[in-house]
Amino acid sequence: MGELPDLKNRVILQVAPELSAGGVERTVLEVTEAIVEAGGRALLASRGGRLEAEFERLGGELFRMDVKSRNPLTIRINEGKLRQIIREEKVDLVHARSRAPAWSAYAAAKAESVPFVTTYHGAYSGISGLKRAYNSVMAKGDIVIANSNWIADHICQVHQTPADRIVTIPRGVDLAEFDPKAVAPARVDAIRQSWGLLGDKRLTLFLPGRLTEWKGQGLAIDAFAALAPDERAGMVLVLAGDPQGRDHYVDALQNKIAGLDLERSVIIVPHIGDMAAAYLASDIVLAPSTRPEAFGRVAAEAAAMERPVIVSDHGGGRETVIEYETGARVQPGDARALSGALRAMIGLGPTVRASMGAAGRAHVLRHFSKRGLQTATLNVYKRLLEKGN
């Protein structure tokens, strides 16, 4: 899957809410890189964000607009803007990656008679008829990309989408960036110093992810608190992420930490730019999401960095972590189960954990490479573009 299909002179327009931090944004960058390498033009309609410079360095062209808005009037206005981009830039295919922008993109692509692709990035919540209708746009692609087998099954069950319109393409890990051998010790020291842990010999538990309740930070604190005091004395829990405006949630976490008298053992740190070094700065990585992850990039990246991972036993986590081989899977939302898994993982000792980490990297190499994602995505584009000729 290493050779990219030829997209010479083809113009691909991706549509995504923003370029901040997260799996959607990272995949936008990876596909942008592949489009340009394959000889095409990579356009993006988005609010932009902290990853803009990297996007432009990869050769992407940003068309700034508020496609994140759910306001019906804004969605309608964005449809007109996208139609203008499609016409003026001679766009060959539109690829939408989130619900609000997907409605504008779907209408624009159909009006301009260009192929429309969606990536179903998450098991969107909502049981009301109105919410299901809103979510349904993500299943309206000529091809719908699912980023795990679990999501592919979800699309079939919820939207009755024919299987021949669904292609499963797991998210990819940049195996050159996320390679333990490529990270200098000074980078790891810099991360630990930023955490206030340089020289600290305690075993480090690491939970990276957006600071939002369903990512499980509060659950991890409860699980940590459930350990015996002598066990906690030899460990530190690091919660890293961007609150994205959820300051009330961060305050609640800080209050929980203080209420459990864990200020010296649980710390919250900002978004980290050098994630490869951050994984190496830790011993065990946690991804205890209370809602199913469509894929779970944290688990795959951590495994690529040879770190054992504990995930919730639902969603894409079942595909990224092999039970007892690369990490552990626990009952979702169960602090005691997570605490038990932590105790068991710690009890294995560093040698066995290192073996699990090596097995994890081998699993990622086989199934979750960035190049695999890029090649498979461009093959979807090629299939639709050739069908239209």
Side-chain angles (χ1 to χ4, degrees), residues 10 42 71 85 89 113 123 125 130 137 170 176 252 272-273 300 331 342 354 373:
R10 294 293 196 174
N71 183 299
I85 293 170
E89 304 299 329
S113 300
S125 61
L130 184 61
V137 70
I272 298 166
Q331 179 69 26
L342 280 171
L373 174 143

Side-chain angles (χ1 to χ4, degrees), residues 36 66 122 131 141 153 160-161 177 214 219 222 263 265 292 294 303 344 349 363:
V36 172
D66 186 14
K131 196 62 179 286
D153 291 342
Q160 290 77 53
T161 304
E177 177 183 356
W214 73 272
L219 183 74
D222 288 336
E263 292 98 330
S265 301
H363 180 56

Side-chain angles (χ1 to χ4, degrees), residues 303-344:
M305 295 305 294
E306 300 186 352
R307 289 298 179 261
V309 189
I310 301 176
V311 299
S312 295
D313 190 18
H314 56 184
R318 291 177 174 170
E319 298 168 40
T320 51
V321 172
I322 304 173
E323 183 79 285
Y324 306 124
E325 185 176 330
T326 70
R329 303 200 298 260
V330 299
Q331 179 69 26
D334 189 332
R336 287 194 175 277
L338 179 56
S339 187
L342 280 171
R343 187 176 290 110

Side-chain angles (χ1 to χ4, degrees), residues 173 279 285 287 295-304 307 309 311 317 320-321 364:
V173 176
Y279 290 123
V285 176
F295 173 68
R297 183 181 289 271
V298 163
E301 289 178 348
R307 289 298 179 261
V309 189
V311 299
T320 51
V321 172
V364 172

